Amino acid sequence: MEEFKTTLMPWTHRKLSKSKQCCLQMLRKKALIDLFKCMGNACAFTTNDGMEMEYHLLGHDPPNEIESCTLSCAYCTTATTTPRGLVNHIRENHGPCRFQCLFCFYRALEAENVLYHQHYYHSASKDDVTTTIVELPRNERKPQTDYLIEMCTSFQSNHKLLTCAVCQTTHASISLFNEHVYLHRESTIKCPICPKRILKVDTLDHLNHHRTDDYKCLYCNTIFKTKVLINR
């Protein structure tokens, strides 16, 4: 058992409390390639999906376990206070690393760094480099179907659609609604948000006054004024 105390993160000299069985599961190639690795004592969960990792951490029981090793980073000595904080830390600080050691959790931006690491910490291994280092995909895996359904449901229930008072058609954005009103002959329209009637030419200004922005994040429902901001 003692030999597995530092086998996952030998470069940190950090002694873990994971069982031998958990260590062996997390040293499989698929688990090593996954970006997010749970450091809970009795857990071998890994995933390449940040949202899935966050949900997993929130489900840890008993609650006091989440305050200790569970919220520790698998790549450095950082520990956070929330699951989202840990996911963000890993994604921002370790996500860009493209090369993974296949003997432990170590990964780096450059393959040379992994070679130096293996020479120092895994000197007993004389395998071909193509079997000891793997180049990782650049992007985190996209959310699974369940998450997409959840986000779409959230969008439909939270996003305020603009309804035309003349024909009752609905529009998801101010720009589309503004184009639509010119299909009707009336020179004025009823605002889809307040009781006022407004001139067609004033539609954009009036609706912007209500702050019904066009760009709304499907993940957290945060509203943004421009595409540039939401893409960040």
Side-chain angles (χ1 to χ4, degrees):
M1 174 65 184
E2 186 64 29
E3 63 178 307
F4 285 91
K5 289 289 187 178
T6 60
T7 191
L8 300 181
M9 305 172 67
W11 69 98
T12 65
H13 304 289
R14 174 179 163 191
K15 290 190 176 182
L16 306 176
S17 300
K18 284 184 179 291
S19 66
K20 178 179 178 180
Q21 182 179 3
C22 282
C23 289
L24 290 174
Q25 289 181 24
M26 299 187 83
L27 288 173
R28 294 174 180 172
K29 184 175 181 179
K30 191 273 177 188
L32 290 173
I33 290 175
D34 282 342
L35 176 60
F36 301 100
K37 301 172 174 68
C38 181
M39 297 305 290
N41 289 336
C43 188
F45 177 82
T46 66
T47 179
N48 213 33
D49 188 321
M51 186 179 294
E52 189 176 7
M53 180 63 170
E54 188 174 340
Y55 285 167
H56 168 80
L57 292 174
L58 288 171
H60 258 274
D61 191 52
N64 62 345
E65 185 184 355
I66 202 169
E67 298 173 2
S68 55
C69 59
T70 308
L71 293 181
S72 296
C73 178
Y75 305 103
C76 66
T77 56
T78 297
T80 64
T81 57
T82 64
R84 180 163 297 181
L86 180 62
V87 168
N88 289 339
H89 162 79
I90 293 174
R91 182 185 288 117
E92 293 171 8
N93 293 279
H94 306 291
C97 296
R98 294 180 52 211
F99 297 93
Q100 172 70 50
C101 173
L102 291 182
F103 295 118
C104 67
F105 285 176
Y106 184 83
R107 58 176 59 191
L109 282 170
E110 303 294 338
E112 289 84 355
N113 291 336
V114 182
L115 286 174
Y116 290 136
H117 158 83
Q118 290 182 345
H119 177 74
Y120 187 82
Y121 292 103
H122 309 294
S123 56
S125 302
K126 303 297 182 182
D127 301 294
D128 181 4
V129 66
T130 59
T131 65
T132 63
I133 299 176
V134 63
E135 184 173 4
L136 303 165
R138 291 180 178 272
N139 298 318
E140 180 183 330
R141 176 166 56 87
K142 293 182 180 179
Q144 295 297 296
T145 304
D146 290 346
Y147 299 135
L148 290 174
I149 292 174
E150 179 182 338
M151 286 186 292
C152 289
T153 302
S154 174
F155 176 79
Q156 292 170 357
S157 61
N158 290 287
H159 189 74
K160 189 173 184 62
L161 297 175
L162 304 175
T163 303
C164 175
V166 179
C167 63
Q168 302 303 309
T169 57
T170 57
H171 306 273
S173 71
I174 293 175
S175 57
L176 290 176
F177 181 82
N178 184 60
E179 291 177 8
H180 170 78
V181 296
Y182 283 93
L183 298 177
H184 301 299
R185 293 182 177 181
E186 292 86 346
S187 60
T188 63
I189 62 165
K190 181 184 178 301
C191 174
I193 299 173
C194 71
K196 290 184 179 179
R197 291 197 67 86
I198 55 176
L199 293 172
K200 285 182 181 178
V201 294
D202 295 330
T203 301
L204 287 177
D205 289 339
H206 182 81
L207 291 180
N208 280 324
H209 177 72
H210 285 299
R211 301 181 66 83
T212 55
D213 307 81
D214 286 345
Y215 306 105
K216 189 169 187 176
C217 177
L218 295 181
Y219 292 87
C220 64
N221 293 324
T222 302
I223 293 175
F224 299 90
K225 277 291 187 183
T226 67
K227 284 184 179 179
V228 173
L229 291 176
I230 196 170
N231 286 335
R232 292 179 181 175

